[in-house]
Amino acid sequence: MIPIRSYLRLFSGYLRPFRRTAVLLAVVLFTAIGLQLVNPQLIKAFIDGAIAGDDFSSLVPIAVAFMVIAVINQGLMVWATYLAEQVGWSATNQMRVDLADHVLHLDMGFHKSTSPGALIERIDGDVTALSNFFSSMIIKVIGNAVLILGIMVLLWRESWIIGLSVSVLILITFIGLFRLHGVTVPWQKAIRATSAEMYGFIGEQIDGTEDIEANGATGYMISRFDAIQRRWLPETVRGWTGWAMMWSAAMTLYFASLAVGFVLGAWQFTTGILTIGGVYIVLQYIQMVHRPVEQIREELIDLQKAGASIERVQELFDRESQLTRRDSKTLPSGPLAVGFESVTFSYNDDGGKETVLDDVNFSIAPGRVVGLLGRTGSGKSTIARLLTHLHEPQQGSVQIGGHDTRDIDLVDLRHRVAMVTQDVQLFRATIRENLTFFDPTISDDRLHEVIERLELADWLGSLPNGLDTVLESGSGGLSAGQAQLLAFTRVFLRDPGVVVLDEASSRLDPATEALLERAIDHLLEDRTAIVIAHRLSTVNRADDIIILDDGRVIEAGRRKDLAAAPESLLSSLLATGMEEVLA
Ligand code: ATP
Ligand code: MG
């Protein structure tokens, strides 16, 4: 059925600001329908008048009136369609904004499991279906239903027998159409779901073109593409078959009612009940009924498509962030304490088999620099993600500045805890915008001061347009070292209390490396820091060391003590050269 109720539940809030336009729309629409009904009456009067041998002077005004009304009617229909589209689009644009905002506040788990293509299809594709729903619903379905009703009244007035017969035929057709409609809804749903999957797949592939080609996976990807297409085709065929069935039903009505009109009209004319003008008007009205029935039928398909969209939009709105947010505490300025209290965490909430962190405990006093070591996959980056509250532990508590991260105002938390990840995301924008994250309140003076501090002035000077140099998106056409330096500057500008540095494991040339080292020195001054270290030089900077293995802390303590103790893991790592052991 047409999902009017769920549509209204979702949409009425968005329509409220357009109440006035809606009233205007109703007035325009119903006037147009009224005029459409009046016009055949004029022709009837004209025909009967001409046959009766009326004066030319009395026939001309009827003809002129007919034309004027026809033109006005068209104008009004255009106006009504314009109004309906306008309301539909304005209201859904607001909904797009709200949906995008909602999605931005969802947890990382959601974003990792939803491909960008599918998200676009949801936020834009499904909402567009909703905007069409509004204009189609008002203009085509309600407008046409009123038109059909008017025609029926006028037909009955002309001849009740013809009116009755045509009404019965229309009723039967509508019942048939609604039955068919119920059958074809799931068919349309399947098509939409597959198309979302298709676009999600394509988006992912375009994103990964480089890797796919480099790894020779093109053949495999094409075969997956093929598999989705193969599923899509029969679903589409079935969908169109549903359409064809409905079309046939509407055509059958049309010809059956025309036949009824001719037969009964001829009979009533010979018995003198109808004039020639009367017969004309009966046939005219029967023809007029055909178009609205046709349009309502077509709309039913669009509306049922919208039904699937409404469900998915509602689902997306109902998807709540897995993160607890109480936003009750704010963080003081200066370096902050960090603590993990029996933290157990796994990425997938349901099932929870794959434990990534297992009862992790440590605490870091404000201002200390901690080196975090561990094999690849041991959970180092995961600790960083928990600190910025991108995920939240299933058990235990992650604390910053003495508060559980769940209690801290999220905006404040993200402001005061900075993370520099292994791969730096750059935007297609100027260096200035990349550094300030598009915050225009940061002055160039402050930027230059920080750049000076991090000893990046020479590098910046070497760029053609300085701060106004536009970077490409992705790696931005910068080397890994340069990208890291940019990321440091970003963090420095925010002056955070905790810095989490997921050090790039790629090797850099000695000059860049030295630059990076000095930049890190400045970055860590007077801040609490967790440095995920891959290099000895970084380890040597740390006050304390934590070594992770398979999600557990296997060694923790002051670096100096651990390095001095011959039986410690750290000293064996240092003796063998870390990288071999940790690789
Ligand atoms: P590396 O040194 O390679 O960066 P790491 O110590 O940072 O490794 P993590 O990225 O924390 O390791 O990953 C720890 C474990 O969690 C790994 O087994 C990984 O497969 C898993 N994991 C990481 N990210 C996710 C995710 N988004 N969803 C599910 N599992 C994940
Ligand atoms: Mg990592």
Side-chain angles (χ1 to χ4, degrees):
M1 270 312 196
I2 305 177
I4 294 180
R5 197 170 304 159
S6 51
Y7 174 81
L8 282 182
R9 181 155 20 90
L10 181 65
F11 213 54
S12 56
Y14 290 98
L15 288 177
R16 207 157 296 140
F18 301 98
R19 260 175 310 186
R20 276 156 186 256
T21 321
V23 171
L24 179 63
L25 173 60
V27 171
V28 173
L29 187 63
F30 292 138
T31 315
I33 291 170
L35 292 181
Q36 224 169 317
L37 290 173
V38 163
N39 246 0
Q41 301 284 350
L42 291 176
I43 298 195
K44 179 192 174 194
F46 188 92
I47 292 175
D48 287 342
I51 284 175
D54 278 4
D55 256 21
F56 192 64
S57 59
S58 67
L59 290 179
V60 168
I62 300 180
V64 171
F66 175 84
M67 283 189 284
V68 170
I69 288 181
V71 169
I72 293 180
N73 174 46
Q74 286 303 317
L76 288 180
M77 277 320 284
V78 170
W79 193 11
T81 309
Y82 170 80
L83 288 174
E85 293 284 341
Q86 198 200 19
V87 173
W89 281 91
S90 315
T92 44
N93 277 342
Q94 185 54 45
M95 181 180 260
R96 281 189 184 85
V97 172
D98 288 355
L99 260 185
D101 189 61
H102 176 75
V103 166
L104 284 178
H105 283 94
L106 290 178
D107 52 295
M108 288 312 279
F110 170 82
H111 288 286
K112 294 271 181 212
S113 64
T114 316
S115 71
L119 211 51
I120 291 175
E121 178 66 11
R122 287 258 190 123
I123 294 184
D124 195 50
D126 284 338
V127 176
T128 300
L130 282 187
S131 97
N132 293 337
F133 184 99
F134 179 79
S135 47
S136 316
M137 184 75 208
I138 299 291
I139 294 285
K140 305 230 170 99
V141 177
I142 297 187
N144 283 325
V146 171
L147 183 61
I148 292 176
L149 226 70
I151 289 175
M152 284 307 120
V153 168
L154 292 172
L155 260 186
W156 278 78
R157 218 184 62 153
E158 224 45 63
S159 149
W160 69 266
I161 286 234
I162 296 178
L164 179 67
S165 325
V166 174
S167 303
V168 168
L169 278 174
I170 288 185
L171 208 65
I172 292 172
T173 313
F174 269 119
I175 292 174
L177 284 180
F178 276 106
R179 281 272 158 84
L180 279 177
H181 179 84
V183 174
T184 54
V185 170
W187 300 355
Q188 295 296 335
K189 253 191 191 167
I191 295 179
R192 294 282 297 173
T194 312
S195 95
E197 191 186 338
M198 183 75 210
Y199 290 120
F201 177 77
I202 291 177
E204 206 176 279
Q205 299 319 305
I206 291 177
D207 234 26
T209 313
E210 217 170 90
D211 285 343
I212 292 168
E213 301 237 339
N215 290 308
T218 320
Y220 171 69
M221 289 307 169
I222 294 282
S223 77
R224 274 185 60 193
F225 180 81
D226 227 45
I228 302 181
Q229 295 275 11
R230 267 174 215 285
R231 249 186 310 128
W232 204 3
L233 178 66
E235 282 171 3
T236 311
V237 169
R238 194 175 59 174
W240 281 100
T241 309
W243 179 88
M245 278 159 34
M246 292 204 170
W247 183 79
S248 316
M251 284 319 264
T252 310
L253 160 82
Y254 177 50
F255 290 117
S257 44
L258 264 188
V260 165
F262 274 118
V263 172
L264 293 182
W267 166 61
Q268 295 216 314
F269 175 66
T270 49
T271 54
I273 299 173
L274 282 178
T275 60
I276 275 288
V279 175
Y280 164 79
I281 209 172
V282 163
L283 291 175
Q284 177 65 25
Y285 280 141
I286 289 176
Q287 289 213 340
M288 276 174 69
V289 149
H290 170 62
R291 221 180 50 150
V293 168
E294 182 84 331
Q295 278 193 349
I296 290 182
R297 179 191 60 72
E298 266 170 28
E299 280 325 301
L300 287 184
I301 297 181
D302 271 6
L303 294 182
Q304 70 198 34
K305 277 189 201 154
S309 296
I310 290 172
E311 246 170 59
R312 273 203 304 267
V313 169
Q314 187 68 53
E315 218 172 80
L316 192 53
F317 266 128
D318 290 344
R319 174 70 163 75
E320 273 174 30
S321 178
Q322 303 292 321
L323 298 177
T324 316
R325 274 186 76 173
R326 287 190 279 267
D327 286 351
S328 56
K329 303 277 198 306
T330 53
L331 294 169
S333 59
L336 299 164
V338 170
F340 268 55
E341 269 178 25
S342 341
V343 170
T344 297
F345 174 75
S346 86
Y347 278 99
N348 37 341
D349 263 344
D350 31 276
K353 291 279 166 290
E354 192 103 1
T355 308
V356 175
L357 294 181
D358 187 2
D359 193 24
V360 171
N361 282 287
F362 62 79
S363 66
I364 306 172
R368 302 283 286 184
V369 174
V370 173
L372 189 58
L373 310 182
R375 276 175 224 282
T376 180
S378 56
K380 304 181 299 291
S381 300
T382 305
I383 288 192
R385 292 184 197 123
L386 289 179
L387 276 171
T388 42
H389 205 50
L390 290 175
H391 296 277
E392 123 181 357
Q394 279 82 13
Q395 282 165 42
S397 131
V398 176
Q399 305 200 327
I400 291 177
H403 304 301
D404 191 302
T405 46
R406 284 173 269 235
D407 294 324
I408 302 167
D409 181 81
L410 197 61
V411 177
D412 199 38
L413 176 80
R414 300 259 162 93
H415 223 85
R416 304 282 297 130
V417 179
M419 175 158 75
V420 183
T421 54
Q422 283 161 325
D423 51 341
V424 178
Q425 180 66 49
L426 296 171
F427 301 97
R428 193 196 175 84
T430 63
I431 296 221
R432 177 187 294 104
E433 287 160 339
N434 266 292
L435 289 179
T436 60
F437 261 128
F438 303 91
D439 180 353
T441 61
I442 298 177
S443 69
D444 275 12
D445 286 346
R446 168 112 178 92
L447 263 176
H448 282 298
E449 185 193 311
V450 170
I451 288 167
E452 202 67 49
R453 201 89 190 267
L454 294 181
E455 302 180 47
L456 297 178
D458 286 349
W459 170 69
L460 194 69
S462 72
L463 294 172
N465 296 321
L467 283 177
D468 290 313
T469 310
V470 175
L471 296 178
E472 299 300 314
S473 58
S475 65
L478 299 178
S479 75
Q482 290 167 332
Q484 287 272 317
L485 287 169
L486 266 188
F488 290 164
T489 317
R490 250 182 206 171
V491 169
F492 211 92
L493 281 168
R494 276 162 54 196
D495 196 19
V498 178
V499 175
V500 185
L501 197 61
D502 205 342
E503 193 183 47
S505 43
S506 58
R507 265 162 240 276
L508 303 168
D509 64 276
T512 314
E513 172 130 13
L515 203 59
L516 216 56
E517 289 301 321
R518 286 201 299 277
I520 293 178
D521 283 337
H522 289 302
L523 188 65
L524 303 189
E525 263 166 35
D526 202 26
R527 293 182 227 281
T528 311
I530 296 178
V531 184
I532 300 174
H534 295 270
R535 285 172 299 183
L536 274 175
S537 55
T538 322
V539 174
N540 289 335
R541 173 181 290 117
D543 302 317
D544 304 305
I545 295 288
I546 295 175
I547 302 181
L548 274 186
D549 189 41
D550 204 14
R552 284 196 198 99
V553 177
I554 51 170
E555 189 168 286
R558 285 168 167 276
R559 178 177 59 83
K560 292 225 169 74
D561 300 347
L562 290 176
E567 72 287 356
S568 77
L569 205 55
L570 181 68
S571 56
S572 70
L573 287 180
L574 293 176
T576 50
M578 281 176 54
E579 279 139 62
E580 280 155 46
V581 180
L582 292 179

